[in-house]
């Protein structure tokens, strides 16, 4: 069985195929097809007609993305191939990532999966959004990107980034330096995201002016945060009391994003995670969105996606 995907733009065809067809190798493996350039376009062949048709749908979407100025990476090809192989053609056709923000070096930041797109839409449309999912799904980075763009546009006067310092007791006490120096290692992922998005000079200037704040969750107690874009990261490591404390800090004209992975709780066994029960408590409260990201939304190295899936299968087997 062979089909040809007609091509209007040879440059788009080259971008989709990649060097030595490297971009579409994942598509070939996933759908058991052969993809190669032909006289009239991209030729797809295989023994299974349904898989050939799935590959055609994916290639048409990839060509459309390229013609509209979107980068076509191997990760995008693999994601759309997985969706097509699962029969999720609507997800393939609906895939159209918009630019959220541009980094200090000019790199456009876009959601890379439909799950990520739903996540950023929820953030844009709600006052409080909970992004829950495994490592590598872009929960924190996308939230920070949206915060930076909203700050640049003047929608909010401050960005506040916070996360719990789980070992903020004895173990931190043995580290040298003042309290800020001791907690900085816990804040490092947030610093890294801000530095990439804003650039070192702009970030540090805003930090010195108090327009950007990166601090442990304990610093939030007793405050009211107005006109701020607030991100609580690693929220699975908040206690129920800390979660309530944080959510009640949110003031007028503010937006909050809470991210976490309920499978990676580092709290002592006698402490309950404030993130695990929150959907039951706030699930029906107007103005709050809950978005669950899955292994399909992992955008790091392919191996990370396989590791996350392996742990999920292991945990399911252990809970039976």
């Amino acid at each position: 069985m062979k089909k040809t995907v007609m091509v209007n733009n040879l440059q788009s065809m080259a971008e989709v195929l990649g060097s030595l067809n490297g971009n579409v190798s994942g598509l070939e493996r996933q759908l058991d097809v052969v993809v190669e350039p032909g006289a009239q376009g991209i030729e797809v062949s295989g023994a299974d007609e349904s898989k050939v048709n799935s590959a055609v749908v994916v290639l048409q979407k990839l060509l459309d993305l390229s013609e509209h100025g979107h980068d076509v990476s191997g990760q995008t090809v693999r994601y759309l191939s997985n969706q097509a192989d699962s029969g999720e053609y609507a997800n393939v056709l609906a895939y159209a990532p918009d630019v959220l923000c541009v980094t200090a070096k000019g790199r456009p930041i876009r959601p890379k999966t439909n799950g990520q797109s739903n996540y950023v839409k929820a953030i844009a449309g709600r006052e409080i959004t909970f992004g829950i999912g495994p490592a590598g799904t872009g929960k924190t980075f996308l939230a920070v990107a949206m915060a930076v763009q909203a700050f640049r546009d003047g929608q909010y006067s401050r960005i506040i980034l916070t996360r719990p310092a789980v070992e903020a007791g004895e173990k931190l006490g043995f580290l040298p330096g003042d309290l800020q120096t001791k907690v900085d290692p816990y804040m490092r992922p947030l610093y890294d995201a801000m530095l990439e998005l804003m650039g070192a000079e702009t970030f540090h200037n805003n930090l010195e002016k108090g327009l950007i704040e990166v601090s442990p969750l304990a610093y939030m107690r007793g405050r009211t945060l107005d006109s701020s874009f607030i991100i609580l990261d690693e929220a699975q490591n908040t206690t129920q009391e800390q979660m309530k404390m944080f959510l009640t800090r949110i003031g007028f004209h503010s937006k909050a994003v809470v991210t976490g992975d309920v499978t990676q709780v580092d709290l002592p066994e006698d402490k309950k995670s404030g993130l695990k029960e929150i959907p039951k408590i706030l699930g029906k409260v107007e103005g709050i969105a809950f978005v669950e990201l899955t292994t399909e939304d992992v955008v790091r190295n392919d191996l990370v996606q396989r590791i996350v899936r392996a742990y999920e299968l292991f945990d399911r087997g252990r809970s039976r």
Side-chain angles (χ1 to χ4, degrees), residues 5-14 40-42 59-60 63-64 67-68:
V5 180
M6 304 302 293
V7 174
N8 299 320
N9 187 318
L10 291 178
Q11 183 176 348
S12 293
M13 175 174 158
Q40 295 181 308
I42 301 176
L59 288 166
Q60 288 172 334
L63 287 166
D64 179 64
E67 288 172 5
H68 284 85

Side-chain angles (χ1 to χ4, degrees), residues 6-192:
M6 304 302 293
V7 174
N8 299 320
N9 187 318
L10 291 178
Q11 183 176 348
S12 293
M13 175 174 158
E15 288 177 357
V16 167
L17 293 175
S19 177
L20 300 176
N21 285 13
N23 258 5
V24 293
S25 58
L27 173 66
E28 292 179 314
R29 288 193 300 272
Q30 180 70 35
L31 296 174
D32 194 21
V33 295
V34 175
V35 178
E36 53 192 355
Q40 295 181 308
I42 301 176
E43 293 184 349
V44 184
S45 57
D48 188 326
E49 183 176 359
S50 66
K51 291 188 178 294
V52 170
N53 289 335
S54 294
V56 167
V57 171
V58 171
L59 288 166
Q60 288 172 334
K61 170 51 73 171
L62 292 170
L63 287 166
D64 179 64
L65 289 171
S66 177
E67 288 172 5
H68 284 85
H70 294 279
D71 293 331
V72 175
S73 66
Q75 189 276 327
T76 304
V77 177
R78 288 189 295 274
Y79 171 69
L80 294 179
S81 301
N82 287 335
Q83 296 294 299
D85 195 29
S86 302
E88 302 290 341
Y89 295 108
N91 286 345
V92 177
L93 298 173
Y95 185 78
D98 295 321
V99 175
L100 304 177
C101 179
V102 177
T103 69
K105 294 183 178 180
R107 181 170 70 91
I109 302 300
R110 296 182 172 95
K112 295 182 178 180
T113 69
N114 286 311
Q116 290 188 347
S117 293
N118 292 335
Y119 175 51
V120 299
K121 287 175 184 175
I123 294 173
R126 302 294 179 90
E127 291 179 70
I128 301 175
T129 300
F130 288 84
I132 303 171
T137 51
K139 304 181 298 294
T140 302
F141 191 77
L142 290 173
V144 174
M146 294 193 72
V148 168
Q149 192 57 49
F151 178 74
R152 287 172 176 168
D153 292 343
Q155 296 178 40
Y156 301 94
S157 60
R158 288 187 300 173
I159 298 175
I160 297 175
L161 310 174
T162 185
R163 62 184 342 208
V166 175
E167 297 176 343
E170 289 185 339
K171 294 185 180 180
L172 279 176
F174 290 104
L175 294 174
D178 58 19
L179 180 59
Q180 190 62 49
T181 303
K182 291 170 192 263
V183 299
D184 271 353
Y186 290 93
M187 303 295 112
R188 192 75 251 169
L190 297 174
Y191 280 118
D192 290 344

Side-chain angles (χ1 to χ4, degrees), residues 119 129-132 139-140 143 231-236 257-261 275:
Y119 175 51
T129 300
F130 288 84
I132 303 171
K139 304 181 298 294
T140 302
I231 298 172
L232 169 58
D233 191 34
E234 297 289 339
Q236 75 276 4
V257 181
V258 180
T259 71
D261 177 1
L275 187 63

